Amino acid sequence: MGIALSATLAANEEIESRRRAGERVLHLAFGEAGLPVHPVLRERLADAAGHNGYGPVAGVPELREAAAGYWRRRGLPTDPESVVCGPGSKSLLYGLLPAIGGDVVLPVPSWVSYAAQAELAGARPLPVPSPPGEGGVPDPALLADAVLDARSRGRRVRALLVTLPDNPTGTLAGAATVRRVAELARELDLLIISDEIYRDLVHDPAAGFLSPADVAPERTIVTTGLSKSLALGGWRIGVARLPSEELRDRLLAVASEIWSSPAAPVQQAAAHAYTEPPELTERIERSRRLHGAVARAVHGLLAGAGVPAGAPRGGFYLYPDFTGLPFGTSADLAAHLLGAHGVGVLPGHAFGDDPRALRVRMATSLLYGETTERRLAALAAPDPLELPWISASLDRLAGVLSRLGAGAGTPGGR
């Protein structure tokens, strides 16, 4: 089938291997939230350690009710019976593909696993470029023609997938764009899978967030998890909100044959998290501020070096364009950054981009410190950029960008 190890996981393993060998690597390649587990969640997990039964395939009632409440507080009426839990939203996203059937529209660029999962599920991705500055959604001006053309050639295009905010670009599609995409999905009879795992990490909550489920609730599936907002990636827990009982039943059939049920102790801790107690909402607020401050600082360094990149609006990603440097592909550029400068990034081709386009993804979330103490200090700092270990990383990146420009003209072709 030709499916390789996930590019993000492969890059992380290579960089950790280099670090163990004594190399100094500025790790901008892995999208881990980079923060400690909140003590209240550690306590909840420990208290639930005796829960060793499989439990319902859809997840324990406490977690489904808590997740339903999470969405209700965001203006999406949700019945616990429409919620399905899984071992990470990644598993749920994969399970949805065979449950829906047919091919799926993917924005370009998009997260590395979407296309690979589609191929594993026997579907074919239909790539549609995102509009400028609004990653994570297919361009509405291109969407209908792409779907109708594919259908005219015999393809069964049944769904489209969006990411709000986006990985890899760190941008957020505006309300008008989301609304138009949802309207087109209705006209084209497409189900929408809305990956909203970064929703609670929109840097400016007042900026507004529109989910396709607000516009087309009858055809929108929403997935999320705790790996980003509460830095629980290794716990592997996610939830999905389904628009119909029929689709829920199909997803449960897939889930019953793949993961049976999520880990019982983790479900208990996650149920508490989704009730959003004050100590956890405060942690998420601090995380959002930290992610935004460091991502904006890196964006400023890129802008100062003449490297175009969309302004980050959520999560901890940037997607700079190094057009003008003397490299044939984004993989060549990423290899040079790691080998010659000790900076780990992911090449744009891993996200479905043109390999010849010199775009890479930078993840800023592992710059907060190597120890729990430093990461907690970063969370608490009024200005995390003043912390010496963060400022040192930014200075190092600034030096690399300067050397790149000096060696091959100004990045970005300016």
Side-chain angles (χ1 to χ4, degrees), residues 85-376:
C85 311
S89 64
K90 188 173 185 177
S91 300
L92 290 164
L93 288 163
Y94 175 67
L96 283 163
L97 295 171
I100 295 170
D103 293 342
V104 58
V105 176
L106 298 181
V108 177
S110 60
W111 181 47
V112 297
S113 290
Y114 294 147
Q117 286 191 346
E119 293 176 17
L120 284 168
R124 282 191 293 167
L126 177 62
V128 176
S130 295
E134 295 185 279
V137 299
D139 191 330
L142 305 175
L143 177 59
D145 285 348
V147 171
L148 294 174
D149 177 67
R151 286 175 173 170
S152 73
R153 291 181 284 109
R155 294 180 61 176
R156 294 175 62 248
V157 185
R158 299 285 305 279
L160 69 86
L161 196 154
V162 301
T163 315
L164 304 166
D166 183 39
N167 172 11
T169 67
T171 59
L172 175 65
T177 300
V178 172
R179 194 176 299 280
R180 182 56 182 149
V181 168
E183 291 169 352
L184 287 168
R186 187 176 281 133
E187 294 171 13
L188 295 165
D189 192 23
L190 295 170
L191 284 170
I192 304 169
I193 306 170
S194 187
D195 182 350
E196 299 179 9
I197 199 163
Y198 296 96
R199 174 172 183 162
D200 294 336
L201 296 180
V202 173
H203 299 161
D204 180 6
F209 179 97
L210 186 70
S211 170
D214 294 312
V215 183
E218 81 286 356
R219 65 182 56 251
T220 301
I221 304 138
V222 181
T223 66
T224 190
L226 301 176
S227 63
K228 309 304 178 182
S229 62
L230 284 167
L232 298 177
W235 286 29
R236 310 312 305 140
I237 190 72
V239 291
R241 178 185 183 272
L242 283 302
S244 70
E245 183 178 350
E246 178 187 5
L247 182 56
R248 174 185 180 273
D249 290 345
R250 293 204 300 270
L251 177 58
L252 288 177
V254 173
S256 71
E257 302 295 355
I258 298 178
W259 62 77
S260 298
S261 60
V266 176
Q267 288 191 73
Q268 296 296 324
H272 181 69
Y274 276 117
T275 64
E276 300 185 283
E279 63 271 21
L280 295 186
T281 57
E282 180 189 20
R283 167 60 69 87
I284 293 171
E285 172 62 25
R286 288 178 179 271
S287 302
R288 179 167 52 232
R289 290 200 301 265
L290 174 60
H291 295 318
V294 177
R296 286 191 296 273
V298 172
H299 183 259
L301 295 179
L302 291 165
V307 182
R313 297 190 59 199
F316 29 79
Y317 301 115
L318 298 105
Y319 198 68
D321 186 341
F322 288 88
T323 297
L325 291 181
F327 298 97
T329 66
S330 59
D332 295 336
L333 171 59
H336 175 78
L337 284 168
L338 182 58
H341 299 283
V343 175
V345 299
L346 279 187
H349 79 84
F351 303 94
D353 210 342
D354 183 344
R356 297 164 297 178
L358 299 185
R359 290 183 281 267
V360 300
R361 191 196 71 177
M362 293 181 170
T364 60
S365 49
L366 295 183
L367 301 182
Y368 307 148
E370 297 288 333
T371 65
T372 296
E373 290 74 22
R374 286 189 169 186
R375 292 166 182 163
L376 290 174

